[in-house]
Structure formats: C-alpha cells, structure tokens
Amino acid sequence: MKIIVCIKQVPETGNVKIDPQTHTLIRSGVPSIINPLDTYAIEEALRWKEKLGASTLVLSMGPPQAEEALREAVSMGIDQALLLTDRRFAGADTYATAYTLSLAIRKLAPYDLIFCGKQAIDGDTAQVGPALAEHLGIPHIAYVKKIEDIDLQKATVRAHRLMEDGYEILDSRLPALLTVVKEINEPRFPSLKGKMRAKKLEIPIWGADDLGGEVANFGLSGSPTQVKGIFAPPARGKGEILTGEAPLIAQTLIERLKAQKII
Amino acid sequence: MEREDLVRKISIQEITPGCPYLQDESHLAPGMAEAIYFPTEEDEISALVAQFQKTGTAVTISGARTGVVGGAVPAGGGVILAMERMSRILGVKRCQKTRAWLIQVEPGLSLRSFQRQVESKNFEGIDQEGNVRDFMQDPSLYFYPPDPTEATATLGGIVAANSSGARSLAYGSTRNYVQRLRVVLATGEILDITRGEHQADRSGTIPVQTTEGSKLLIPIPTYQMPAVKSAAGYYAKPGMDLIDLFIGAEGTLGVITYLELRLVPRPDKIFSGIAFFPDPDQAIKFAQKIRILRSDPLSRIKPIAIEYFDQHSLSILRQGRQQEESRGAFFADFPLSAQSAIFFEQFYQKDEELEDIYEHWQVALEEHGVNMDDTWGGFNEQELEKMKRFRHALPEILNEIFRERKRRYPTIHKVSADLAVPEPYLEEMISLYRTRIEEQGLEYVLFGHIGECHLHLNILPRDDEEMLRAQELSFEFAAKAVSLGGCVSAEHGIGKLKHRLLELLYGPHGIEEMVRVKLLLDPKGILNRGNIFPESYLPSLR
C-alpha cells in the first residue's frame, strides 16, 4: 500500500499580527509549524502503515523553508518527502494549489490513499483536499473522524464522516482521498530516531518544469480567485456604563442612540 | 514625614482572610499580618526594619510565595514586606577577575522575566549605554542556568532558598551564580557583600563591617554539611565566604535588596528526549550508568539534566491525560508498556557532533530495553518546552487529585520527602521507599532529579489515618537518609514545616550554632520568624 499525505506549513497562529499599513500578515519572526490539522493526517497514515504495512510519502507545495515541515513529518515516522517549490507556484489559490499537487501525485502513481487535514488554519477554506481529488479524478471523503477498515484485496475503504448532527458511514473504492478532522486520532510526539533520520533525509524538490502541465495554470496566473485585501476586523471599542438616576440614564441613552442614528 | 511613611502600605482593615500574602504554595494554613508594605528602595526597607526592630515586630519577607515549606507565611503575625515593586534590572557589569557578565538586579523580579530579558538581551527600561550596550553587542549567547520549576519565583526568594532545578546536575545551585548581595539587617544597617571579600578566618569567624560602620564578628557553625545537594539550614564550611551564609538562609538573617548574578555562555544547540523503559528498575539502572558516563572523557553523553519518573508517576500522568483530553490533550500519549521513564537534556556546539551524541545515547538506551521508536526527541526550544509540559504536569495533576480529596478530608495533603543521598546508597533508598510504603498499602509517586541522587517522594494519603502514617514514614525516611550521609531537604528548604528534620540532620547543638548567628545579626529574632528553627530556640539563647 502507498499512502501520500499532503501538508502545508503555516505560521503559528497564536503569534500572527497584521501589518497595519499593508494589511498583510507579518511573517518575519513568527515560527512556522505544520498546519495542526495536517498532523492528524500524518498520524493516520502512520497508524495504517503500522497496521497493514505501507510506504508513506509526505508532500507539500510551498516556499523552500516548507522543507522544515516535511522534515518534521519524517521525524514522526513518514518514510519519504517531496517538496514542490518554484516561484511560478507563488500566489496560488486553492484551485491552482490542487492542480499543482495533482500533477505531482500523477507522477507518484500508483497510490492507494491520499490523506489531507480538513483545512489549513491560515486560509481556512477546506477546499484543497476535495479539489485535489477532482483534479485526480478519484473519489474523496471529507471530514473523516474514523477509518473503520481498509480492504486492500477489494480495494475499498470504509470511513466515518463527521456531520453537524452525527456521522455518516461511507464506503469508497481505492484509490481515494480522505480529509481528516482532529477527532480521528492523537498525533504522536516525534521520536529521537525519527528526528535523526529527518535531519539526514534527502528531500527531492520539484519545480514547474518537473511537473509538466500548463505554466499558466500555476500560481497567481492559474488562480481564478484573488485576494483583493486583508484586514483585521476592527477591535471592539470599550463599553460604556452609564451611572446615576434611572430617568437620567434613560434620557442619556435615548440621546446617544439618536445621535448614532440607531433610533 | 519619616522615610517609612512614604512606603505604600495595606493596613489590617484591608487584609482579608483570603489575602494571597498570607499564604504560599505549602499546605500551611494562612498566617496573619497587621500590615503589608511595598517598598521601592533599599533605604525604605532599612528605615522600616529598624523601626520594627525597636518594637520587636515580626517581619515576613514576601517574594512570589511559591515556596512549599511555608517560608513566606507570616505564621506569627507582625508585618509583611512585599518585594514585588523592586523588580528592575539596574545594569550590567563585567567581573573584574573572570570577565563574566554580571547583571545587577532588584530582588522582586521574577526568574522568568529575568531569564527572558537576559536571553533576548532586551532589558526593559534601562539606557543602552556603556556596559549594557557592550553586553547587547556581544555576539555570544548567555543565560542564567538555575532553573527551579517555578519560574514565577522572585530572584530574592530564589537566592534566599538557594534554589536548584533539573539543570543543577551540570550547573550547580543558585549559590554558584551570586556574585554580590546587599542585605538590610534587622538593625536597619546594611551589609554590602561581594564574593571573595569576606572569608572565615582560622577561628571560624567572619569579620565584617556594615556600611554604617558597625563591626561584626560572625561565628560560623561547625557542623559538617552532607556531601550531597542541600537546602537545609545555614551554609557552613571552614574558610567559607560570607555571601554563602546569606544564600539559603531563608530570609532569617536579613532582607536582600540588591543582587549581582553571573551569566554563563549558552551553547545554542539542544539534544533532549524522554525515554520510556518497559521495566520499573531499568530507568534507575540507566541513570546510574549515565552518571558514570558523564564523567568519562571518552563518552559523548554529557547531560545537563536527567529526570526520573517511576511507574506510579506514569500512571498518574496517564490518568490525568485522560481527564484532560476533553480540554485538548496537553502532552502526547506515551507507550502503554512504559514502567519508568527518563527525561534528558544536553547542550552541544556544532551540528557535526549530533550524530555521535545520538549514537552514544542510543547504545546506552537500547542496553536498558528502550525502543528508540518510542523515545521522544527534541532539538529546539519549542520541542523542549513540550517535553517539559510532561514533566510539569505531574505536580499539577497531583494538586488536582488533592483538591478532590480535601473535600472529604480537609486537612490532608500530599506528604513529600525531598531527600538526597550519596550515590552508592540511591538504590537502597529507593528500595526502602517502595517496601515500606507498599507494606502500608499507601499510594505514592517517586520522580525527579535522579542525576543528582535526589528524588521527590510524594505519599498520597486518602484519609486522615493514612495521612498520619505517611508523615511517620516520611520522618523514618529522613532519618535513614541522614544515617547514609544524605540530606533531609535537598531543594525545598526547611521553612516552617521541616524543623524536626533539620534537628535530625544537625542535632540540637548544630541548631544552636545557627541560632547564635541569627541572634548576632537579628537579636530580637524579628526577620522571617519561624523559618529554619522553631521560635522556641530563640529566647533560650538570648
């Protein structure tokens, strides 16, 4: 069995600040981590590898420093890593990202399963996983909270998909793509041995030319959606407590509401 | 207006029973106080203390109240001197002899804030001139090594307690990093003590003069301190330095108002991990081996900390983890087969060394039955922090358990022993703990600084009767540690809770020698009354 895990490197959100002039994220000095939801995808791949035997590969598209995130996945126990990095990939929206990933995965075929985290904590779209499956022309199950069984003989997977009011049990043929939610497992701590292996592992880097495909479909030019602006929601002002006699308070309140054109 | 009248003060009417200044992290009941003072300058403290000396009013010095032996609890009333408003870094100096960087600081600053400011070389609120600028421009990294678990503790409190922590295995306790102190004595006079300037003479006396000109001849005690980690009673050694008398004196000899703390260069690479052993004894045997390899020049195993967890600690951690899971797990799951564990931490300088270091550790770990796939690893601060969460979670879970048990038995608490023994006796001591406690059917955990043969034993009574038996056992263990040349309190100090243990260690004569020093410097015994020795000792020698 071959399992591919797609991950994204994101800034640690606890520390993210927005530049008041440019309205973009200030990335410098903010530590980068594996998108937390992707660590569940990594863990799930490792569990099935331990159960059924599998080769595992972690894949990411991002800037050169995304290699750190790949190494961290390897330190948890993933066998191989592959980084897609090229200036022409920059500015990709979910569509272009999924397209780029799909070209790489086509080159990596055959494979049985692709695991993704439900969504990234920076963009929060939850679209890349399903879009990737569409580009590849394979079935997907999103929001998986449990994989009941993988039957390699019959080439099927049975998974529990988390819904707002319960869960669905779905069967799919393999190969399939599954996006996982945090209820599915608990990611392990990287092992010392894994960390040593991760330090030394050669990580191949593929650029646009390695993937083939239409260059115009990569990055910003391949993105149907574009970010027009980013802004922090305005901080809520301090509340005001009116004190004094009740009739006076009522009068003040009416005046204030009128002034604000609320009444 | 007198100087002391300018000090911010909370008076008795405002001190409610739940007031945080009346208690600390010990299980001692809250004390009482007539007033709490918040001085900002040394001369305010001097004026206040001199006034209380006249009236014979007890003065309890208060830092962050993180101690576990009641040192900051004003058990006998009087007033509290809260040091929290004296929390500035004042400047930077170079040691004339060693060229080491010395940081000049007030006693109320927290260890955490001090460490952060030092490590980032970013001092709040001082001019970046002269030595400060030179320090900031020095390309090397520095740090202040003592790392007691409670990083909210104040520097004054840490020095008064001579605190240590996991890294004292390689770096020693707080004492090693204190270069100069200014101390207000009970008379209001001030001692300015720089290390190396005042040593005990052959007759065992340290002559010294206060800044006001009074001459003092301080008789140092003659007892022999145990040759292990110790935070029990006054430091006393032939030829000792005066500054060492005040470090670890638990505030009984004076109020520390100014400190100069020494920094050391910090190697910037970390190799750390937690190894899980399938057998309860293998972690102990492994630690023993590491203690030998540490001093072997051929070995690359040079840890700065080795911490042990017994099987009971692991099962409490597992239990706490399950309860915590609904709120999001606070540390990763560990192998079910684990029967003991060791946390280790090592610094190194160059990337090329890592492979070699790893192989040495791997061989040693595998020899003791550890599966390297299950061994956690951390190579940077964030990962180290995650592992420390595992270590710090244990006392937190225990506190949670006791909050529950106290509902039924309000007076019970965990009974802790903080004993260190010389290396050859560690296994004997551990086996005594296990046999005696298990004979009695009591619950316990054993964890801590195994690299220094200093383990924390917590007996966990479930009712009042078990509580009494736990206390008897803990006294029995302390007596045994003394008979093996060990110490009754390696880290926590004596405070108001371990007087009996100190008597075990030094006998009444040893305590009388300490009291002689105390009464010379504080004739009415006003400072931190009740710490180290019971009040009953004070009038008997006056």
Side-chain angles (χ1 to χ4, degrees):
Chain A
M1 178 163 64
K2 182 165 170 184
I3 305 175
I4 295 170
V5 185
C6 298
I7 66 168
K8 181 177 186 184
Q9 189 184 44
V10 296
E12 195 165 11
T13 44
N15 297 314
V16 169
K17 292 194 180 77
I18 291 185
D19 187 308
Q21 257 84 53
T22 63
H23 303 297
T24 53
L25 298 181
I26 303 175
R27 292 288 301 253
S28 69
V30 179
S32 292
I33 54 170
I34 297 181
N35 172 42
L37 285 157
D38 297 346
T39 61
Y40 299 91
I42 295 168
E43 178 64 32
E44 199 58 21
L46 294 173
R47 291 191 182 189
W48 285 100
K49 171 190 162 179
E50 283 157 8
K51 217 166 178 174
L52 300 178
S55 71
T56 51
L57 180 140
V58 61
L59 173 66
S60 187
M61 185 190 92
Q65 72 260 26
E67 186 191 315
E68 295 160 25
L70 293 172
R71 290 198 190 277
E72 202 180 326
V74 171
S75 75
M76 290 173 73
I78 296 287
D79 304 312
Q80 297 299 327
L82 172 62
L83 177 64
L84 308 183
T85 191
D86 193 311
R87 293 217 173 142
R88 287 170 281 182
F89 297 158
D93 69 356
T94 56
Y95 185 88
T97 302
Y99 171 72
T100 312
L101 290 171
S102 75
L103 292 182
I105 291 175
R106 280 181 194 279
K107 286 190 74 174
L108 294 167
Y111 54 87
D112 302 280
L113 272 163
I114 300 170
F115 287 132
C116 300
K118 178 186 77 167
Q119 65 194 47
I121 53 165
D122 54 355
D124 270 344
T125 67
Q127 289 171 0
V128 173
L132 173 57
E134 291 306 313
H135 280 295
L136 290 168
I138 60 169
H140 80 266
I141 307 175
Y143 308 117
V144 170
K145 70 161 191 137
K146 184 182 176 181
I147 297 175
E148 201 177 292
D149 190 33
I150 295 173
D151 189 330
L152 290 172
Q153 299 279 304
K154 294 186 196 148
T156 55
V157 56
R158 172 167 291 186
H160 294 198
R161 166 185 156 96
L162 185 67
M163 308 294 287
E164 270 179 12
D165 50 355
Y167 62 89
E168 293 171 348
I169 300 175
L170 297 173
D171 284 338
S172 167
R173 61 176 165 78
L174 296 179
L177 183 146
L178 273 56
T179 77
V180 302
V181 293
K182 66 181 185 349
E183 287 76 6
I184 193 165
N185 59 40
E186 199 184 317
R188 67 194 62 192
F189 203 93
S191 77
L192 203 48
K193 191 174 161 189
K195 292 209 80 88
M196 293 302 294
R197 205 175 84 79
K199 269 216 166 226
K200 285 181 286 185
L201 185 74
E202 284 278 343
I203 297 182
I205 294 172
W206 290 0
D209 300 332
D210 299 299
L211 295 183
E214 280 295 318
V215 170
N217 291 346
F218 293 134
L220 201 57
S221 58
S223 297
T225 54
Q226 269 162 37
V227 178
K228 285 210 74 176
I230 292 182
F231 60 93
R236 260 186 22 188
K238 251 194 173 170
E240 190 187 345
I241 296 174
L242 302 175
T243 52
E245 297 285 316
L248 274 175
I249 294 177
Q251 185 144 12
T252 319
L253 184 61
I254 290 166
E255 280 163 18
R256 295 281 178 89
L257 291 173
K258 274 186 176 157
Q260 302 266 339
K261 301 207 169 23
I262 294 170
I263 52 174
Chain B
M1 213 185 205
E2 294 288 323
R3 190 80 179 109
E4 58 266 31
D5 295 330
L6 297 171
V7 179
R8 198 180 128 204
K9 175 183 167 186
I10 295 180
S11 12
I12 189 158
Q13 298 81 3
E14 300 162 75
I15 304 175
T16 54
C19 173
Y21 293 92
L22 302 181
Q23 52 197 312
D24 63 8
E25 294 288 321
S26 70
H27 55 77
L28 202 64
M32 294 170 299
E34 294 157 25
I36 306 170
Y37 292 87
F38 298 85
T40 55
E41 303 286 344
E42 181 182 74
D43 59 351
E44 293 172 351
I45 295 174
S46 167
L48 279 170
V49 173
Q51 178 201 321
F52 295 130
Q53 147 97 352
K54 280 189 204 126
T55 52
T57 307
V59 177
T60 298
I61 309 157
S62 194
R65 299 168 299 280
T66 56
V68 293
V69 289
V73 178
V79 301
I80 293 170
L81 213 50
M83 306 301 288
E84 64 198 47
R85 295 181 80 192
M86 293 178 73
S87 62
R88 290 174 303 168
I89 287 187
L90 303 168
V92 177
K93 255 170 81 172
R94 275 240 192 229
C95 176
Q96 284 174 347
K97 270 189 216 148
T98 62
R99 306 294 293 151
W101 289 114
L102 302 172
I103 308 295
Q104 304 165 296
V105 63
E106 290 183 330
L109 183 66
S110 77
L111 174 66
R112 177 176 290 149
S113 169
F114 179 67
Q115 283 174 329
R116 278 196 189 147
Q117 292 185 59
V118 162
E119 283 172 37
S120 62
K121 294 190 179 173
N122 187 9
F123 296 139
E124 292 156 12
I126 61 172
D127 294 335
Q128 293 167 17
E129 294 168 354
N131 277 325
V132 176
R133 191 191 53 222
D134 292 349
F135 173 66
M136 291 167 95
Q137 288 175 354
D138 182 336
S140 305
L141 297 170
Y142 293 91
F143 79 125
Y144 175 74
D147 67 332
T149 310
E150 195 45 86
T152 57
T154 63
L155 296 172
I158 282 169
V159 170
N162 186 32
S163 300
S164 45
R167 288 176 173 176
S168 64
L169 173 66
Y171 289 97
S173 64
T174 297
R175 185 178 303 289
N176 299 335
Y177 302 91
V178 183
Q179 189 61 24
R180 181 177 160 204
L181 292 178
R182 283 176 69 90
V183 181
V184 171
L185 302 179
T187 54
E189 291 186 44
I190 292 156
L191 280 180
D192 189 332
I193 316 164
T194 299
R195 188 174 286 283
E197 287 184 359
H198 309 279
Q199 271 117 1
D201 61 20
R202 280 210 197 132
S203 70
T205 311
I206 308 178
V208 65
Q209 204 169 343
T210 63
T211 55
E212 289 75 10
S214 306
K215 292 190 170 112
L216 298 167
L217 290 171
I218 302 174
I220 60 164
T222 59
Y223 48 72
Q224 198 180 353
M225 294 195 299
V228 293
K229 193 168 165 185
S230 170
Y234 295 160
Y235 184 91
K237 260 186 190 166
M240 68 178 274
D241 197 291
L242 180 61
I243 201 165
D244 283 320
L245 181 64
F246 289 88
I247 303 167
E250 301 189 19
T252 57
L253 299 179
V255 185
I256 297 168
T257 55
Y258 167 94
L259 312 92
E260 279 178 19
L261 300 175
R262 182 168 63 91
L263 304 185
V264 301
R266 188 203 155 114
D268 63 342
K269 298 188 192 300
I270 300 172
F271 173 85
S272 66
I274 298 183
F276 299 94
F277 298 78
D279 174 290
D281 289 326
Q282 284 303 329
I284 299 166
K285 293 199 172 11
F286 173 75
Q288 191 178 24
K289 175 137 194 191
I290 298 301
R291 287 194 300 266
I292 297 165
L293 291 175
R294 260 189 85 219
S295 40
D296 178 350
L298 292 176
S299 171
R300 301 305 305 265
I301 295 182
K302 300 286 174 254
I304 58 167
I306 321 175
E307 302 275 302
Y308 164 76
F309 302 86
D310 76 340
Q311 70 266 46
H312 306 295
S313 306
L314 293 179
S315 78
I316 294 264
L317 279 166
R318 192 168 278 127
Q319 206 179 307
R321 230 183 73 81
Q322 281 154 3
Q323 285 159 6
E324 199 80 13
E325 248 170 333
S326 49
R327 282 180 268 165
F330 60 138
F331 53 82
D333 202 1
F334 52 95
L336 270 171
S337 60
Q339 291 292 309
S340 53
I342 293 277
F343 163 82
F344 54 91
E345 184 186 6
Q346 174 162 348
F347 283 150
Y348 66 100
Q349 293 284 10
K350 295 191 200 100
D351 270 331
E352 305 88 84
E353 297 172 63
L354 182 61
E355 190 82 12
D356 226 11
I357 293 171
Y358 174 75
E359 276 169 20
H360 277 82
W361 279 94
Q362 182 189 10
V363 169
L365 286 165
E366 284 178 346
E367 269 174 23
H368 291 83
V370 169
N371 176 354
M372 291 309 287
D373 287 320
D374 290 342
T375 303
W376 294 357
F379 291 170
N380 60 41
E381 280 297 336
Q382 288 110 306
E383 289 163 346
L384 183 64
E385 214 41 59
K386 279 188 194 164
M387 277 188 276
K388 284 187 174 170
R389 225 182 294 163
F390 181 84
R391 184 152 66 89
H392 296 168
L394 183 61
E396 283 168 29
I397 299 169
L398 291 177
N399 287 342
E400 192 62 44
I401 291 174
F402 272 90
R403 255 191 293 278
E404 202 50 48
R405 288 188 186 171
K406 270 173 189 289
R407 287 178 197 211
R408 185 113 187 257
Y409 302 97
T411 58
I412 67 168
H413 53 79
K414 64 183 183 198
V415 175
S416 61
D418 172 40
L419 312 172
V421 292
E423 147 108 64
Y425 303 113
L426 181 65
E427 281 196 69
E428 182 180 342
M429 204 63 207
I430 294 174
S431 111
L432 179 77
Y433 290 150
R434 288 176 176 170
T435 337
R436 293 288 291 136
I437 300 174
E438 281 160 25
E439 270 170 17
Q440 303 244 1
L442 297 173
E443 262 189 345
Y444 71 101
V445 293
L446 189 60
F447 62 96
H449 320 302
I450 198 164
E452 294 182 277
C453 302
H454 166 215
L455 294 179
H456 293 295
L457 168 69
N458 286 179
I459 311 178
L460 314 171
R462 284 159 290 208
D463 58 36
D464 294 336
E465 184 270 333
E466 286 199 350
M467 171 84 186
L468 287 176
R469 283 194 284 143
Q471 282 169 323
E472 273 164 32
L473 274 179
S474 110
F475 191 73
E476 177 189 323
F477 296 149
K480 179 68 178 180
V482 170
S483 78
L484 298 172
C487 183
V488 294
S489 186
E491 184 172 50
H492 294 164
I494 298 299
K496 298 178 178 76
L497 291 173
K498 298 198 175 182
H499 297 154
R500 265 173 87 207
L501 299 190
L502 191 64
E503 270 181 324
L504 266 181
L505 182 65
Y506 290 137
H509 179 69
I511 304 215
E512 279 158 20
E513 286 187 317
M514 283 185 234
V515 170
R516 223 164 41 164
V517 178
K518 163 79 174 168
L519 293 182
L520 179 86
L521 298 176
D522 178 10
K524 291 187 180 171
I526 62 165
L527 293 177
N528 274 7
R529 206 172 261 180
N531 282 5
I532 299 189
F533 18 74
E535 283 179 51
S536 58
Y537 270 94
L538 298 179
S540 68
L541 288 175
R542 208 170 289 166

